[in-house]
Amino acid sequence: MRSQESEELKLLFIEEELSQHGEWLADVLTEAIEKRKLRQTDSLLHSIDYDSFHEGKNPGVKFSFLSYGRAVDISAYKRNRHKVNSFAVAWGQKENTMKKKNNRWYAQSMYSGYYKLVSRIMYGLGDREIERLKGILANRKTA
């Protein structure tokens, strides 16, 4: 009985941490998009969402947004290796170009919080947290 209670406590703790991480990540990605002014139609911004799920006994968090937003991030890393400025070669002048926006919003935001989540799950289950979770489990059983 004691090990079953311990497993329930651990599972509830992990579920809560994953849910908090999903909410935090949604906020961070939204802020990153707004900060970099990558908003044209706001459909990417409004499509950011997360959901907790269970696969068997394993909890998880699923994060979703429109796929073209991720493609913006990926295209920032691709550069033509054989870049030739034909305008400068033909006319001897430099082309008027605008600076590109910093649109690397996904990877930096996503992976900045990953290790924080891992450390909170590994080391965050203290005595106070155990007592709080026991109270939640007791309320669930009486309801």
Side-chain angles (χ1 to χ4, degrees):
M1 182 70 177
R2 183 81 176 145
S3 88
Q4 183 182 2
E5 182 179 291
S6 174
E7 288 298 317
E8 287 178 3
L9 280 173
K10 289 177 186 176
L11 188 62
L12 180 60
F13 175 71
I14 291 171
E15 287 172 358
E16 284 185 349
E17 287 296 324
L18 288 173
S19 179
Q20 289 175 1
H21 181 72
E23 185 175 339
W24 172 83
L25 186 58
D27 292 341
V28 167
L29 289 178
T30 302
E31 288 174 15
I33 290 170
E34 289 175 348
K35 180 181 174 184
R36 289 171 176 83
K37 298 177 183 169
L38 299 175
R39 300 169 63 178
Q40 291 180 358
T41 62
D42 281 347
S43 55
L44 172 63
L45 197 62
H46 296 305
S47 71
I48 292 176
D49 192 27
Y50 73 95
D51 188 28
S52 300
F53 68 92
H54 281 275
E55 190 172 301
K57 286 188 173 183
N58 301 323
V61 63
K62 178 175 59 173
F63 203 80
S64 63
F65 54 87
L66 291 176
S67 63
Y68 76 85
R70 179 77 173 115
V72 169
D73 185 26
I74 292 170
S75 68
Y77 299 108
K78 294 181 180 177
R79 291 202 167 97
N80 188 352
R81 293 183 190 172
H82 305 290
K83 192 173 186 179
V84 177
N85 188 349
S86 59
F87 191 77
V89 171
W91 296 99
Q93 296 176 354
K94 290 188 177 179
E95 188 177 356
N96 288 335
T97 58
M98 295 177 60
K99 286 187 176 181
K100 291 185 179 181
K101 289 183 181 179
N102 180 5
N103 55 8
R104 295 179 302 227
W105 58 272
Y106 174 77
Q108 182 179 4
S109 303
M110 175 70 179
Y111 295 113
S112 67
Y114 175 73
Y115 293 110
K116 291 177 188 176
L117 172 66
V118 170
S119 66
R120 282 197 322 256
I121 289 176
M122 289 179 66
Y123 304 113
L125 192 57
D127 294 334
R128 287 184 182 172
E129 189 68 19
I130 289 173
E131 291 302 317
R132 185 182 72 81
L133 294 174
K134 282 183 180 179
I136 291 172
L137 288 175
N139 288 339
R140 283 186 183 176
K141 289 179 182 177
T142 58

